[in-house]
Amino acid sequence: MGRIFSGIQPTGNFHLGNYLGAIRNWVRMQDSYENFICIVDLHAMTTRPTPQTLQTHIKEAAATLLASGIDPEKTDLFIQSAVPAHCELAWILSCLTSLGWLNRMTQFKEKAGKQREQANLGLYSYPVLQAADILIYKATHVPVGEDQKQHLELVRDIAGTFNRQYEVDYFEFPEPIILKTAARIMSLRDGSSKMSKSDPSDYSRIHLMDDPETITLKIRKAKTDPEPIAGNPKAMENRPEALNLLGIYAALSDQSLEEVCLAFEGSTFAPFKEKLTAQIIMVIEPIRQRMISFLKDPEILENILKKGSEKARDLASQNLSEIQNIIGFLKT
Ligand code: AMP
Ligand code: TRP
């Protein structure tokens, strides 16, 4: 059985894209692997949240994951900062990572934008901490969205450098799992940009905490076109907003885009939107209800995270100790 590691930043505003692109896949893989899912609060610090915001978002992230079906009996759910070995290994790995590699990271370039000189060091070394997250557990598989592919390649490069530098076979190369079903969900206002928590318009995304009325309104206002739905996706290539809504329906109902196009062929968007709204509510509303009850009872949540962190700490410190021996640290 392989070991899965994945992480999610507690930055609030979890939406349908996070659910269909990441969380749902973790839930579905729980029976096939040993699972570690980490709320990466250290990574979230790169956005410099206030203490209050950080804490609220960490709890929200835990509630979201549990409400979506992460089962603490099958998955070790924990908080990154509760396991100091992540930072310790990150330093070690940073000494094995060349600037040239980091300079190629497109996520840094995007996030730093034109203000590169003002970007913080944490944002720059973000992928090294991500490598430490994965390698400290010697994870074999890392399920992530398409956008994390480059970071995963870097993790493999860093693991290889460590093995070569110390002439060991210590780290395996973790395999990214980029599932085809990991739907890329686009904005409801603009079919060419990703549904994102940082979009200023609330109408661009469905939050997992949206109530049925809000969902109904957002889908009613979602951009489409006056043409009827075609019988296959190829015929709709220049209609990104229309395709996105069909794609959301397909992902939520576990069908292919082809099947959904065929089923709604000839229909206009008004009746389709009604079906889509019902489908979204059917999936999201039970998650929202469970989130509300988790957030009402923080003790349950905290106990799950505490247990998870203890287990993660045990494994991580054992591996860190092996790594320290390989490196030649003198243990005193
Ligand atoms: P982020 O919200 O960017 O921190 O992403 C958290 C996780 O959700 C990552 O694994 C992303 O790949 C995934 N994700 C974020 N936005 C989308 C989207 N619009 N469609 C599909 N997956 C997404
Ligand atoms: N960088 C990932 C994201 O933005 C989050 C993350 C941090 C992660 N550490 C990880 C994902 C380790 C997978 C494995 O989505």
Side-chain angles (χ1 to χ4, degrees):
M1 205 195 239
R3 179 180 291 157
I4 274 184
F5 183 96
S6 201
I8 191 155
Q9 287 200 58
T11 34
N13 269 347
F14 283 112
H15 52 72
L16 202 55
N18 299 130
Y19 178 70
L20 292 172
I23 301 170
R24 188 176 72 166
N25 300 311
W26 301 343
V27 172
R28 291 183 170 179
M29 285 187 280
Q30 284 182 115
D31 288 320
S32 325
Y33 294 87
E34 183 190 0
N35 309 283
F36 289 83
I37 299 291
C38 183
I39 298 170
V40 292
D41 54 347
L42 298 170
H43 279 113
M45 281 188 65
T46 56
T47 64
R48 300 204 197 154
T50 64
Q52 184 56 44
T53 307
L54 185 63
Q55 205 164 96
T56 307
H57 284 171
I58 292 170
K59 286 183 188 156
E60 241 174 63
T64 304
L65 291 163
L66 294 166
S68 302
I70 293 293
D71 175 356
E73 298 292 321
K74 299 177 182 167
T75 293
D76 191 324
L77 177 66
F78 70 103
I79 300 177
Q80 191 184 28
S81 64
V83 187
H86 290 236
C87 285
E88 297 178 55
L89 181 59
W91 175 260
I92 293 168
L93 299 181
S94 74
C95 299
L96 300 171
T97 306
S98 65
L99 296 186
W101 285 351
L102 290 181
N103 287 338
R104 280 197 286 277
M105 293 297 120
T106 53
Q107 186 169 302
F108 173 75
K109 287 186 212 165
E110 271 164 30
K111 291 203 170 160
K114 292 199 181 93
Q115 307 286 317
R116 207 156 158 170
E117 291 293 310
Q118 267 86 55
N120 63 69
L121 178 58
L123 195 63
Y124 188 63
S125 61
Y126 180 115
V128 182
L129 180 59
Q130 184 166 347
D133 294 341
I134 297 166
L135 295 175
I136 195 69
Y137 300 100
K138 301 216 230 169
T140 57
H141 294 84
V142 187
V144 280
E146 179 78 27
D147 58 341
Q148 294 299 309
K149 221 169 139 181
Q150 196 187 28
H151 284 168
L152 263 293
E153 279 159 18
L154 180 72
V155 175
R156 292 164 66 91
D157 286 339
I158 295 175
T161 306
F162 181 95
N163 287 349
R164 273 192 308 281
Q165 168 88 20
Y166 296 105
E167 296 176 356
V168 286
D169 225 354
Y170 187 74
F171 289 126
E172 274 186 57
F173 297 103
E175 288 285 341
I177 303 182
I178 297 165
L179 294 171
K180 280 280 166 282
T181 50
R184 189 174 149 88
I185 307 298
M186 310 309 279
S187 156
L188 300 178
R189 312 293 285 173
D190 169 8
S192 64
S193 66
K194 239 175 61 162
M195 185 178 285
S196 159
K197 61 186 146 211
S198 52
D199 193 312
S201 167
D202 241 23
Y203 282 93
S204 68
R205 61 187 166 252
I206 304 279
H207 293 129
L208 296 180
M209 277 302 254
D210 281 344
D211 59 25
E213 272 163 56
T214 311
I215 294 173
T216 308
L217 188 64
K218 284 182 175 175
I219 294 299
R220 198 179 305 142
K221 283 182 173 275
K223 193 172 167 195
T224 43
D225 55 47
E227 300 293 313
I229 294 169
N232 68 77
K234 276 240 151 27
M236 301 182 68
E237 258 170 6
N238 300 321
R239 300 166 62 189
E241 286 83 13
L243 267 179
N244 184 40
L245 294 187
L246 290 159
I248 293 175
Y249 190 94
L252 287 170
S253 61
D254 273 314
Q255 298 180 70
S256 69
L257 192 54
E258 285 74 12
E259 284 169 325
V260 174
C261 286
L262 213 55
F264 288 98
E265 182 172 14
S267 164
T268 56
F269 270 92
F272 171 75
K273 278 184 167 184
E274 278 178 27
K275 290 261 166 50
L276 176 62
T277 302
Q279 185 70 41
I280 296 174
I281 293 171
M282 198 172 86
V283 175
I284 299 280
E285 183 56 12
I287 297 179
R288 186 176 77 98
Q289 292 298 343
R290 285 194 291 270
M291 271 175 83
I292 291 170
S293 45
F294 274 119
L295 290 171
K296 261 201 213 132
D297 197 346
E299 216 172 301
I300 297 184
L301 208 81
E302 280 160 23
N303 276 335
I304 292 172
L305 293 171
K306 190 161 174 262
K307 267 198 197 145
S309 301
E310 277 165 13
K311 190 176 160 212
R313 252 194 316 265
D314 280 350
L315 178 59
S317 59
Q318 193 185 316
N319 288 344
L320 183 66
S321 173
E322 290 172 9
I323 293 164
Q324 289 170 333
N325 284 338
I326 293 172
I327 289 174
F329 286 165
L330 193 63
K331 299 236 172 107
T332 53

